[in-house]
Amino acid sequence: ALPDGAGGRVKPGAGWHVPSVDHYRDQYKEILQYVQKLDDNARVQGVHVLRWITALLLLGAGALYLVREDVREGLGKEGAEVTSRTIQDKKVQVAAELVAKEVALELLRSQATIEGAARFVKEVLAEPATRDAAGKLVVNLFRDEEMLAHTQEWVSVVVGRLCQEEATQGNIQHLLGVAFTNLFVDKQFQKT
């Protein structure tokens, strides 16, 4: 428990100590004495520097308050111009593109993303109406010669990139080895 006049409070069981008005008055007087002492120490050739600085700060704050809308509008315009110039800067565009590519690659490599996407597609395609619509869409898309050409080009680019990766090459070799092994073990194949 704090002694009387210490400004603290104690638990209700021990009796609450609420400082008196005199306590707050004493605290106020101490603060005023400290500020006056600070003001006296900050005097330069008889000029109260602390008072002048305080007055100037208050006047500046008041002036800013009075023109706050103009300041906000001016800062908004300046911010928009800086943003516009930044977006038009080629280095920023290249950096943003690189970051976007890295994020996309990380998402594509993430096992959780792959599993989530697969689960989502599986759930969506489980609906009969979605399955029918998707089937019709794919059939109609591949009837279009231009779409077929773009798809073939895209698939060749993706397969080409995948074949350049060492891990993919190893997986393809393994799959081909298993396929040929199973093919040669197959009794039906041996008859032909």
Side-chain angles (χ1 to χ4, degrees), residues 80-94:
E81 287 177 19
V82 169
T83 303
S84 177
R85 284 192 305 254
T86 302
I87 290 173
Q88 291 173 357
D89 185 8
K90 288 293 180 188
K91 289 179 183 177
V92 173
Q93 290 176 355
V94 169

Side-chain angles (χ1 to χ4, degrees), residues 161-175:
R161 286 182 183 169
L162 286 175
C163 288
Q164 290 175 359
E165 292 182 3
E166 290 183 28
T168 305
Q169 289 174 357
N171 289 339
I172 291 173
Q173 289 174 352
H174 176 72
L175 287 173

Side-chain angles (χ1 to χ4, degrees), residues 108-177:
L108 291 174
R109 291 179 186 147
S110 167
Q111 192 62 33
T113 304
I114 293 169
E115 290 171 1
R119 188 172 42 254
F120 172 75
V121 170
K122 183 179 177 183
E123 289 171 2
V124 168
L125 291 178
E127 297 291 324
T130 307
R131 222 178 15 245
D132 293 343
K136 289 177 185 175
L137 175 66
V138 170
V139 168
N140 288 331
L141 284 176
F142 285 110
R143 286 185 181 157
D144 180 23
E145 292 297 322
E146 186 177 347
M147 180 63 189
L148 193 55
H150 287 300
T151 303
Q152 289 172 340
E153 179 183 338
W154 178 77
V155 167
S156 66
V157 167
V158 170
V159 169
R161 286 182 183 169
L162 286 175
C163 288
Q164 290 175 359
E165 292 182 3
E166 290 183 28
T168 305
Q169 289 174 357
N171 289 339
I172 291 173
Q173 289 174 352
H174 176 72
L175 287 173
L176 289 175

Side-chain angles (χ1 to χ4, degrees), residues 1-185:
L2 297 172
D4 271 14
R9 297 176 187 249
V10 289
K11 288 186 172 182
W16 276 83
H17 171 72
V18 178
S20 66
V21 174
D22 292 334
H23 170 75
Y24 288 115
R25 191 174 294 131
D26 292 341
Q27 290 291 321
Y28 176 72
K29 286 179 182 177
E30 282 182 39
I31 292 171
L32 276 179
Q33 287 173 353
Y34 175 76
V35 170
Q36 285 175 347
K37 185 177 178 183
L38 186 64
D39 184 42
D40 288 339
N41 290 338
R43 249 189 233 184
V44 175
Q45 296 180 354
V47 176
H48 293 275
V49 176
L50 184 62
R51 292 180 190 177
W52 278 100
I53 290 174
T54 304
L56 289 174
L57 286 175
L58 289 174
L59 284 172
L64 275 176
Y65 180 76
L66 291 174
V67 295
R68 67 186 178 280
E69 291 302 321
D70 294 334
V71 171
R72 186 181 308 163
E73 185 178 314
L75 289 176
K77 285 181 182 177
E78 185 65 29
E81 287 177 19
V82 169
T83 303
S84 177
R85 284 192 305 254
T86 302
I87 290 173
Q88 291 173 357
D89 185 8
K90 288 293 180 188
K91 289 179 183 177
V92 173
Q93 290 176 355
V94 169
E97 186 178 334
L98 287 173
V99 168
K101 284 180 181 178
E102 287 298 318
V103 168
L105 285 173
E106 281 301 314
L107 285 173
L108 291 174
R109 291 179 186 147
S110 167
Q111 192 62 33
T113 304
I114 293 169
E115 290 171 1
R119 188 172 42 254
F120 172 75
V121 170
K122 183 179 177 183
E123 289 171 2
V124 168
L125 291 178
E127 297 291 324
T130 307
R131 222 178 15 245
D132 293 343
K136 289 177 185 175
L137 175 66
V138 170
V139 168
N140 288 331
L141 284 176
F142 285 110
R143 286 185 181 157
D144 180 23
E145 292 297 322
E146 186 177 347
M147 180 63 189
L148 193 55
H150 287 300
T151 303
Q152 289 172 340
E153 179 183 338
W154 178 77
V155 167
S156 66
V157 167
V158 170
V159 169
R161 286 182 183 169
L162 286 175
C163 288
Q164 290 175 359
E165 292 182 3
E166 290 183 28
T168 305
Q169 289 174 357
N171 289 339
I172 291 173
Q173 289 174 352
H174 176 72
L175 287 173
L176 289 175
V178 169
F180 283 126
T181 301
N182 289 339
L183 188 62
F184 289 123
V185 171

